Amino acid sequence: MALGSSMAAGPGIGPRAPGAPFAAGRSARNYPHLVAAALGLDLTDVTYSGATTAHVLRERQNGAPPQIDALDGSEALVTVTIGGNDVGYVPLLMAAALPRFTRSLPLLGPRLRDLLDADAREAALAQVAEALVAVGQEIRRRAPRARVLFVDYLTLLPPEDHPARPLSEEDATLGRHVAATLERLTGEAAAHTQCGWVRAAQNSAGHHAWSAEPWTTRPGLPWPGRATPLHPNAAGMRAVADMVVAWEP
């Protein structure tokens, strides 16, 4: 059973998963599909692009029921990648990549400035900590026999000594802080709820989007047949699948 957002769904990585809603952006080569194939497991994949912890726990998304409702207690393995949309992580990076004048536009500007406001991101991070724990607890309650793995986000941004153009250094620093805090909170939620933690962020630091062998994509426009900007590419999905298969407590 796979729960989570676009970082697990794999938008833009072809082919699309059969029967998946178009808006879900669910790939037949995302890490849940690759893990299921490697382990010989039947797969139920309810990952959905744009999902938040609320969409996992209680809210419908484009007509789809809360993801947690897919659990029936028969699961052997449950993976979950969630939290980034709660804190505006990828939207922050998308905003930072836009020309600076867009922050002054009448309708778009206020939203961009909010995404790039450090205090607003800090407040969002404070709220997601409790939500991640709730996700782990509810999965545990509904799938008591399953191995439950929190899978955190692949590294998108380069280290501080490496430019991340077109992002300014100030915006890249904020992005790194959000990513690092989200990584830490995911690990804390996993420990608190006695779930496993697959450390995709830590294991992909050398494969950021600006590296020679990236597992994620840089900012830009989405193009058919290519992984969505600021998301895992096919190599990244394969790497995460390998991490999940190899995970040991």
Side-chain angles (χ1 to χ4, degrees), residues 28-172:
R29 291 194 296 156
N30 62 14
Y31 82 73
H33 280 79
L34 298 175
V35 168
L39 297 179
L41 297 173
D42 294 329
L43 173 66
T44 300
D45 184 357
V46 293
T47 58
Y48 210 112
S49 295
T52 64
T53 54
H55 293 125
V56 170
L57 292 170
R58 61 184 178 275
E59 293 183 5
R60 300 181 70 86
Q61 186 178 8
N62 297 324
Q67 294 182 21
I68 203 80
D69 289 354
L71 296 171
D72 64 12
S74 66
E75 296 79 17
L77 173 64
V78 180
T79 61
V80 58
T81 299
I82 203 68
N85 290 316
D86 294 58
V87 301
Y89 174 41
V90 169
L92 177 165
L93 301 180
M94 290 179 175
L98 292 173
R100 199 166 187 86
F101 77 85
T102 57
R103 303 178 195 184
S104 301
L105 296 176
L107 297 178
L108 183 61
R111 172 59 176 158
L112 298 179
R113 292 194 298 273
D114 176 71
L115 286 169
L116 295 165
D117 180 80
D119 291 339
R121 294 311 100 219
E122 204 64 46
L125 287 164
Q127 292 178 357
V128 81
E130 184 176 337
L132 288 169
V133 170
V135 167
Q137 290 174 332
E138 188 62 12
I139 295 173
R140 274 273 174 232
R141 187 181 74 82
R142 298 203 187 199
R145 295 182 295 170
R147 171 176 285 187
V148 182
L149 299 179
F150 276 89
V151 183
D152 62 23
Y153 286 32
L154 286 170
T155 296
L156 286 167
L157 292 168
E160 293 182 1
D161 59 353
H162 192 298
R165 298 184 183 90
L167 279 64
S168 70
E169 187 52 39
E170 178 184 6
D171 292 338

Side-chain angles (χ1 to χ4, degrees), residues 89 154-164 176 200-201 203-218 230-231 233:
Y89 174 41
L154 286 170
T155 296
L156 286 167
L157 292 168
E160 293 182 1
D161 59 353
H162 192 298
R176 291 187 194 100
N203 293 330
S204 61
H207 295 275
H208 57 80
W210 281 260
S211 70
E213 296 182 358
W215 288 349
T216 51
T217 55
R218 297 186 190 187
L230 294 167
H231 279 76
N233 58 24

